[in-house]
């Protein structure tokens, strides 16, 4: 029997089957439903982890400081895909299997991305705000038809976005460090360079990981190179975008609008300049927040933990 610390939100309400699965395998689930934001600070983890065998985590940071105080910890599983908040080298050094749940929330994020694109092209947020003030503006928006959409990254989520875009009569280009030419051909996507994505697309949707090489990939210089009146969509990682630079580009009119679900600092500070911009859609890292995604992710996370604690090799072991 192992103790499993869970800091993924809604685990008690939307992930009951995963909770039951863990208990059926003899494990005790530790979940604090009273926390407004379920992730734990480093100091809190240092106090809790000495008696914990596995963890299913949200945005908590797991690195050497944490692993050094977790002698029984065998598995830390990200409730999602991106493991940038787990130091994989440190996890390996302390014999901890780091896992994730790829593909389980891809459809949820892809659907949000499509909603973002339609929303910024039609100026939905400014129009809504205007109507809250009892005004009736005639806003001239943009149609998707005939646009060129660039996908920066061509993993599972981006491929789902490309599939959904196929009904909008748009041209889709994509860049990936390791291009999947077969999938691109099947989806009618043209694989191009990163420079071509930045310089030729009307709409750029980010689907790249938050590795060091991608830090502030979209900053002042990238915005200067983008087409006048282009739109930026980021439902991936906040570190990809220099937020003050984006705000400046929107205020200048260079960028016509943006939709963002991820931010370098979360929660987003109240004084962030992006909050003063028109035609932006901002959501609190909610891309994977659907009932269906929670169920699918939680079941995979639970199985990763069960397999690890049973001495088996988990299916989605990322620091193998």
């Amino acid at each position: 029997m192992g103790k499993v610390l869970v800091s993924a939100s809604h685990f008690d309400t939307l992930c009951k089957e995963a909770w039951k699965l863990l208990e059926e395998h003899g494990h005790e689930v530790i979940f604090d439903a009273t926390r407004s934001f379920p992730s734990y600070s480093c100091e809190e983890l240092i106090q809790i982890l000495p008696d914990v065998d596995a963890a299913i985590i949200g945005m908590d940071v797991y690195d050497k400081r944490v692993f050094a105080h977790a002698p029984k910890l065998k598995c830390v599983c990200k409730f999602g895909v991106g493991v940038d908040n787990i130091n994989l080298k440190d996890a390996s050094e302390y014999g901890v299997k780091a896992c994730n749940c790829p593909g389980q929330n891809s459809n949820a994020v892809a659907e949000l991305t499509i909603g973002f694109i339609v929303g910024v092209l039609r100026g939905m947020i400014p129009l809504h705000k205007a109507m809250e003030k009892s005004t009736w503006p005639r806003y001239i928006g943009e149609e998707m038809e005939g646009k060129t959409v660039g996908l920066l990254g061509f993993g599972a989520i981006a491929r789902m976005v490309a599939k959904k875009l196929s009904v909008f009569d748009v041209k889709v280009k994509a860049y990936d460090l390791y291009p999947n030419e077969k999938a691109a051909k099947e989806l009618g996507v043209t694989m191009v360079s990163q420079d071509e994505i930045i310089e030729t697309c009307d709409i750029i949707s980010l689907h790249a990981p938050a590795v060091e090489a991608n830090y502030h990939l979209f900053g002042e210089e990238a915005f200067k190179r983008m087409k006048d009146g282009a739109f930026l969509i980021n439902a991936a990682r906040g570190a990809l975008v220099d937020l003050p630079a984006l705000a400046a580009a929107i205020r200048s009119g260079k960028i016509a609008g943006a939709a963002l679900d991820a931010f370098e600092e979360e929660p987003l500070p109240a004084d962030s300049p992006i909050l003063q911009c028109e035609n932006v859609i901002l959501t609190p890292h909610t891309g994977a927040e659907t009932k269906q995604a929670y169920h699918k992710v939680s079941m995979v996370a639970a199985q990763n933990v069960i397999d690890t604690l049973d001495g088996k090799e988990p299916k989605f072991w990322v620091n193998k």
Side-chain angles (χ1 to χ4, degrees), residues 204-220:
I204 298 177
S205 185
L206 307 185
H207 302 279
V211 296
E212 186 177 351
N214 289 339
Y215 180 71
H216 284 184
L217 182 62
F218 278 75
E220 184 178 354

Side-chain angles (χ1 to χ4, degrees), residues 114-133:
I114 298 298
F116 273 172
I117 294 172
V118 175
V120 293
L121 261 63
R122 298 306 298 269
M124 288 183 180
I125 297 300
L127 288 173
H128 175 83
K129 288 180 177 179
M131 290 193 69
E132 285 183 334
K133 298 176 182 178

Side-chain angles (χ1 to χ4, degrees), residues 18 39 100 142 193 208 225 265 300:
S39 295
N100 67 350
E142 298 264 5
S193 68
R225 293 165 56 203
E265 184 178 353
V300 171

Side-chain angles (χ1 to χ4, degrees), residues 183-313:
K185 184 176 181 180
E186 291 172 351
L187 292 166
V189 174
T190 304
M191 298 302 299
V192 299
S193 68
Q194 181 170 284
D195 287 341
E196 185 168 339
I197 294 289
I198 294 172
E199 295 168 4
T200 69
C201 293
D202 303 294
I203 303 157
I204 298 177
S205 185
L206 307 185
H207 302 279
V211 296
E212 186 177 351
N214 289 339
Y215 180 71
H216 284 184
L217 182 62
F218 278 75
E220 184 178 354
E221 290 305 312
F223 294 129
K224 286 180 180 178
R225 293 165 56 203
M226 287 172 65
K227 292 180 67 174
D228 291 345
F231 298 83
L232 183 71
I233 310 295
N234 183 17
R237 287 289 178 261
L240 300 173
V241 178
D242 181 338
L243 211 53
L246 173 60
I250 293 173
R251 287 195 299 267
S252 73
K254 173 66 178 181
I255 303 301
L260 310 169
D261 185 50
F263 306 89
E264 195 168 358
E265 184 178 353
E266 297 181 351
L268 184 66
D271 61 351
S272 175
I274 198 68
L275 293 169
Q276 307 305 317
C277 294
E278 291 294 319
N279 201 23
V280 295
I281 300 174
L282 308 174
T283 53
H285 215 134
T286 196
E289 303 288 304
T290 67
K291 294 177 181 178
Q292 294 80 6
Y294 264 83
H295 170 73
K296 289 184 285 188
V297 172
S298 67
M299 294 301 286
V300 171
Q303 195 61 55
N304 279 334
V305 167
I306 290 166
D307 288 344
T308 301
L309 296 185
D310 281 350
K312 301 176 183 176
E313 182 174 310

